[in-house]
Amino acid sequence: MYIKTNEIDFETSYKILIGSVVPRPIAWVSTKSKSGTFNLAPFSFFNAVSSNPPIIVFSAGLKTIKTEHGYEVGPKDTVRNVKDTGEFVVNIVSRKLAEQMNQTSANYPPEVSEFDAVGLTPAPSHMVSAPRVGESLVSMECKLYQHIEFGKEAGAGNLIIGEVLCFHLDDGVYKDGYIDIDVLDPIGRLAGIGYCTVKDRFEIPRPKL
Ligand SMILES: Cc1cc2nc3c(=O)[nH]c(=O)nc-3n(C[C@H](O)[C@H](O)[C@H](O)COP(=O)(O)O)c2cc1C
């Protein structure tokens, strides 16, 4: 089978992308709005892309509501807050936080804080105004490096590039300069409602010439 992307709709492309680019790590992004409300939402279009300077990226699609006249689109709260304040925190999701993480993806209105809605602790950050998730074992305080909009239509992504200003590492998760993956117990996202852990693992030594 051969599928040209300009001959299919964005929802079909989306399903192929999220079923093929798997598993995806999850950025649980906390922000603060201009009016002071704390926001929290997960994004699995996420990765680390540089270590000097340390840079992470995540991408939020436009908020898309299907109506009888087509699609209504607008910014997600996270993107609006990042653009307004230039700051955010990426929190890593351990297995024990998966259900609360999922609940924070519900479509809460901007004036409702997902921290309160799902019972999480907005712990103070050191270098940015957005709080971190107190229950996360790893959090990264970030300042906005660049924002790239891929369009204004339904399905268009907003790439947020962030410079990591500092890491918050739980004492138990950082040992001898390494993150202990058994303690972190991170989850990844598959397609639809699928997730994975890292329990089924194997190692391959680096190749030698
Ligand atoms: C595990 C998971 C991963 C998600 N990944 C993305 C993503 O990469 N991009 C996106 O736009 N929405 C993603 N979502 C949906 C957003 O979390 C959802 O639209 C949320 O309501 C946005 O919140 P906000 O308006 O407070 O920013 C994901 C949801 C879940 C549960």
Side-chain angles (χ1 to χ4, degrees):
M1 189 178 295
Y2 168 73
I3 302 176
K4 282 174 112 175
T5 54
N6 63 1
E7 292 172 357
I8 54 177
D9 59 22
F10 78 89
E11 285 159 316
T12 308
S13 288
Y14 173 75
K15 283 187 208 146
I16 295 171
L17 285 169
I18 63 160
S20 309
V21 183
V22 282
R24 292 182 305 287
I26 299 170
W28 205 8
V29 180
S30 39
T31 53
K32 187 178 167 184
S33 74
K34 267 202 293 205
S35 60
T37 307
F38 296 153
N39 194 85
L40 182 61
F43 297 92
S44 66
F45 284 4
F46 165 54
N47 226 307
V49 294
S50 169
S51 44
N52 186 19
I55 301 280
I56 57 86
V57 297
F58 73 92
S59 183
L62 291 169
K63 187 184 251 180
T64 303
I65 299 161
K66 221 173 190 168
T67 68
E68 55 194 56
H69 311 295
Y71 292 103
E72 269 175 25
V73 295
K76 294 199 177 183
D77 296 343
T78 301
V79 172
R80 202 194 44 247
N81 294 347
V82 169
K83 283 171 74 179
D84 285 347
T85 64
E87 297 176 340
F88 61 97
V89 180
V90 168
N91 305 277
I92 301 301
V93 184
S94 298
R95 174 66 190 90
K96 64 176 184 197
L97 296 170
E99 282 73 20
Q100 281 165 299
M101 175 281 297
N102 183 48
Q103 189 58 36
T104 62
S105 74
N107 198 8
Y108 292 103
E111 62 278 11
V112 172
S113 171
E114 289 83 0
F115 281 95
D116 298 336
V118 311
L120 288 161
T121 313
S125 292
H126 286 199
M127 301 179 72
V128 300
S129 58
R132 62 195 168 86
V133 174
E135 290 78 2
S136 279
L137 301 182
V138 173
S139 300
M140 304 175 195
E141 293 185 25
C142 300
K143 78 169 185 208
L144 179 62
Y145 183 94
Q146 203 180 334
H147 167 220
I148 300 174
E149 256 184 20
F150 295 115
K152 301 211 180 286
E153 305 283 318
N158 283 268
L159 185 69
I160 302 291
I161 306 175
E163 179 172 353
V164 182
L165 303 178
C166 67
F167 298 108
H168 289 263
L169 307 173
D170 183 86
D171 288 345
V173 82
Y174 190 55
K175 293 174 189 156
D176 306 321
Y178 293 93
I179 299 291
D180 185 325
I181 196 153
D182 290 312
V183 176
L184 185 60
D185 195 16
I187 58 164
R189 190 167 196 206
L190 309 173
I193 60 170
Y195 292 90
C196 63
T197 66
V198 290
K199 287 282 152 48
D200 191 10
R201 305 199 301 267
F202 59 99
E203 296 183 342
I204 306 178
R206 290 279 168 90
K208 286 195 183 103
L209 278 185

